[in-house]
């Protein structure tokens, strides 16, 4: 049974949702599923914008058939070659052998690498090229490293639709909804949109900034991403988030306490600090156990908050392994412009604080407050003044 929705009079969403997949890219948990968006334009020529992941290919093909009816498929525009969007290219070719594929030169190279039989079907385009499909004329805009080097976006100059590839996407299945104004995005989608951006695209902030500058020169009326809701209003909200994330500016002034604890003593110290912060008026405080929280959530929250407290035990004279994994992900994703406080714990040779400082100092524009605290096995009553000083220094640094 097909499942399609109109975006405009002649543009259709023909994608699908996946609730079976547990890990996106076999890394990131997606407890709320994920959508794979594909779009079909019925003009004098028919045009498919991207395909979908293999997991929903059957639904996808039924959707296309329902929209096309007796018409053939003339063109397939491939904005992004990652397999969650390009896996079904050959299935389309098998059913519509006359189809021509429009893509960048690097996308064509990747199609050959994936073993697709595309000889004689390719139309390679570059930045600034245009193409008419009848009433609709589109322009192709390079979008390298968002988040693969071959990526582009396609702008329909006729109706203002931007096919934005992986930009402006989100984890989460649509479940019958399609547009941003059909959901409470700030309540139900923002956290997953941030987690998607920060973990998938977050490393490439300068490239996102370059795309945002290009987007600012065109009149966008609808944004059609490859995951998540289609945007038809409130663009300022979405663009503001992307601007902050891609400049690595925190969304909120707040304190994120991430603790690595083996037997609960470091957790108790983290709780003590959280309590002191709240009593002093800083109520925007969140806490995460680094061993129990998937690192994709930690990264997303680190992009959100201005201040981060790292409270870690020493493990084999090194940083507690889950804490180290978190820091290395932070570094790999180019996070910057955060203020850190360090708390270390150790029973005979505390080392975590010094090692954490060395890693953070190797990152861009990180501030590390001086009031580092060393605990010996557990927090004692005599550590209270030091913890109070830490709380006050965090609050003072926000002014």
């Amino acid at each position: 049974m097909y499942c399609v929705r109109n975006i405009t009079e002649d543009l259709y969403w023909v994608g699908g949702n996946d609730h079976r997949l547990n890990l996106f890219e076999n890394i990131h948990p997606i407890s709320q599923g994920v959508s794979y968006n594909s779009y079909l334009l019925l003009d004098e020529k028919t045009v498919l914008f991207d395909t979908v992941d293999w997991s929903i290919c059957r639904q996808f093909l039924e959707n296309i058939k329902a929209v096309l009816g007796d018409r053939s498929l003339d063109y397939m525009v491939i904005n992004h070659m990652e397999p969650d969007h390009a896996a079904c290219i050959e299935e389309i070719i098998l059913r519509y052998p006359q189809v021509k594929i429009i893509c960048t030169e690097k996308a064509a190279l990747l199609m050959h690498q994936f073993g697709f039989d595309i000889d004689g079907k390719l139309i390679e385009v570059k930045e600034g090229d245009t193409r008419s499909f009848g009433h609709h004329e589109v322009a192709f805009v390079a979008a390298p490293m968002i988040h693969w080097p071959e990526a582009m976006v396609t702008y329909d100059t006729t109706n203002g639709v931007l096919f934005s590839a992986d930009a402006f996407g989100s984890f989460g299945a649509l479940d019958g909804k399609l547009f941003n104004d059909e959901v409470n995005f700030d309540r139900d989608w923002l956290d997953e949109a941030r987690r998607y951006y920060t973990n998938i695209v977050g490393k490439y902030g300068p490239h996102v900034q370059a795309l945002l500058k290009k987007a600012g020169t065109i009149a966008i009326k609808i944004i059609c991403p490859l995951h998540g809701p289609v945007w038809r209003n409130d663009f300022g909200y979405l663009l503001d988030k992307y601007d902050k994330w891609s400049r690595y500016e925190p969304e909120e002034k707040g304190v994120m306490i991430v603790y690595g604890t083996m037997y609960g003593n470091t957790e108790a110290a983290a709780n003590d600090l959280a309590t002191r912060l709240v009593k002093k008026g800083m109520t925007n405080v969140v806490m995460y156990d680094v061993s129990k929280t998937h690192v994709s959530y930690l990264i997303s929250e680190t992009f959100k908050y201005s201040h981060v407290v790292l409270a870690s035990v020493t493990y084999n004279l090194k940083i507690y392994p889950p804490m180290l994994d978190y820091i290395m992900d932070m570094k790999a994703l180019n996070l910057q412009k955060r203020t850190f406080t360090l708390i270390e714990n150790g029973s005979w040779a505390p080392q975590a604080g010094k090692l954490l400082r060395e890693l953070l100092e190797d990152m861009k524009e990180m501030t590390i407050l001086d009031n580092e605290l060393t605990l010996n096995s557990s927090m004692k009553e005599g550590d209270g003044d030091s913890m109070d000083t830490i709380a006050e220094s965090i609050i003072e640094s926000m002014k």
Side-chain angles (χ1 to χ4, degrees):
M1 180 65 185
Y2 68 87
C3 181
V4 302
R5 287 196 62 182
N6 278 87
I7 295 172
T8 65
E9 182 180 357
D10 52 6
L11 180 65
Y12 298 80
W13 176 85
V14 292
N17 297 284
D18 188 350
H19 279 287
R20 295 186 179 186
L21 191 68
N22 290 319
L23 297 174
F24 187 83
E25 295 184 340
N26 214 21
I27 300 175
H28 311 293
I30 45 172
S31 60
Q32 299 174 55
V34 66
S35 74
Y36 302 107
N37 299 340
S38 176
Y39 307 94
L40 183 55
L41 176 67
L42 300 185
D43 200 346
E44 292 177 19
K45 300 293 184 179
T46 58
V47 190
L48 180 69
F49 294 89
D50 295 290
T51 74
V52 298
D53 188 81
W54 186 255
S55 64
I56 62 161
C57 191
R58 180 178 178 180
Q59 178 72 72
F60 170 63
L61 294 171
E62 289 177 359
N63 291 346
I64 291 172
K65 184 177 180 180
V67 174
L68 283 178
D70 294 330
R71 296 188 65 177
S72 62
L73 181 63
D74 298 304
Y75 294 102
M76 178 164 46
V77 175
I78 300 299
N79 289 299
H80 184 25
M81 258 304 295
E82 196 168 5
D84 57 330
H85 308 298
C88 298
I89 287 175
E90 279 199 313
E91 291 299 313
I92 294 297
I93 293 172
L94 286 171
R95 288 160 176 79
Y96 305 99
Q98 73 289 341
V99 69
K100 295 293 185 181
I101 302 171
I102 301 174
C103 66
T104 65
E105 181 182 7
K106 287 184 179 178
L109 172 65
L110 289 174
M111 287 183 209
H112 284 107
Q113 288 182 186
F114 280 109
F116 294 164
D117 184 8
I118 53 173
D119 290 343
K121 296 187 173 298
L122 290 179
I123 300 172
E124 293 183 6
V125 294
K126 60 184 183 301
E127 173 92 29
D129 286 353
T130 62
R131 194 166 193 92
S132 174
F133 300 120
H135 176 62
H136 292 263
E137 182 172 289
V138 302
F140 304 104
V141 180
M145 302 318 303
I146 306 176
H147 66 115
W148 279 18
E150 90 305 344
M152 68 176 184
V153 299
T154 303
Y155 175 64
D156 190 329
T157 63
T158 305
N159 60 10
V161 173
L162 177 68
F163 300 95
S164 64
D166 266 353
F168 310 119
S170 176
F171 293 137
L174 291 166
D175 296 342
K177 308 172 186 70
L178 180 60
F179 297 103
N180 65 295
D181 53 14
E182 294 177 334
V183 303
N184 187 328
F185 193 89
D186 200 66
R187 183 191 68 193
D188 299 332
W189 283 82
L190 177 58
D191 287 346
E192 288 296 84
R194 184 191 307 105
R195 190 165 67 94
Y196 173 83
Y197 172 86
T198 56
N199 287 278
I200 305 300
V201 191
K203 178 180 177 66
Y204 306 110
H207 295 85
V208 176
Q209 280 288 307
L211 181 60
L212 290 175
K213 286 182 174 62
K214 293 178 184 179
T217 66
I218 56 179
I220 299 173
K221 295 182 180 178
I222 297 175
I223 299 175
C224 291
L226 290 177
H227 299 289
V230 171
W231 287 77
R232 58 184 177 186
N233 53 36
D234 206 10
F235 301 122
Y237 170 94
L238 181 64
L239 293 173
D240 176 67
K241 297 297 184 186
Y242 259 68
D243 183 49
K244 279 189 171 68
W245 295 338
S246 57
R247 288 187 293 111
Y248 305 99
E249 299 286 349
E251 286 177 67
E252 299 179 8
K253 285 187 175 181
V255 184
M256 176 186 178
I257 302 175
V258 183
Y259 61 90
T261 192
M262 293 172 64
Y263 301 108
N265 293 302
T266 307
E267 179 182 10
N271 270 305
D272 181 89
L273 176 58
T275 301
R276 291 172 192 271
L277 286 166
V278 173
K279 288 170 69 175
K280 292 177 184 295
M282 171 45 63
T283 57
N284 192 13
V285 179
V286 295
M287 289 181 57
Y288 292 99
D289 183 336
V290 74
S291 298
K292 295 169 64 177
T293 310
H294 190 274
V295 70
S296 67
Y297 293 94
L298 296 176
I299 291 296
S300 178
E301 292 290 270
T302 312
F303 268 76
K304 179 178 180 180
Y305 292 104
S306 60
H307 288 62
V308 183
V309 177
L310 303 177
S312 178
V313 296
T314 300
Y315 194 87
N316 286 334
L317 298 181
K318 301 292 183 181
I319 300 169
Y320 190 49
M323 182 69 76
L324 179 60
D325 290 345
Y326 163 50
I327 301 300
M328 297 312 292
D329 259 31
M330 194 189 302
K331 183 177 182 179
L333 292 167
N334 202 29
L335 186 73
Q336 49 197 271
K337 302 179 184 178
R338 294 301 183 274
T339 299
F340 285 87
T341 298
L342 303 179
I343 298 173
E344 66 175 359
N345 193 359
S347 293
W348 62 89
Q351 296 288 317
K354 179 187 74 171
L355 298 173
L356 286 168
R357 180 177 289 273
E358 289 174 357
L359 289 174
L360 293 172
E361 288 176 344
D362 195 40
M363 299 184 204
K364 297 178 182 177
E365 298 187 56
M366 296 301 200
T367 300
I368 308 171
L369 298 181
D370 291 332
N371 297 307
E372 185 176 318
L373 176 62
T374 296
L375 302 174
N376 293 304
S377 300
S378 63
M379 185 176 172
K380 313 298 191 299
E381 187 173 341
D383 295 317
D385 288 344
S386 296
M387 195 69 86
D388 218 48
T389 300
I390 285 177
E392 289 173 359
S393 68
I394 292 172
I395 293 172
E396 181 64 28
S397 70
M398 292 186 179
K399 295 179 181 177

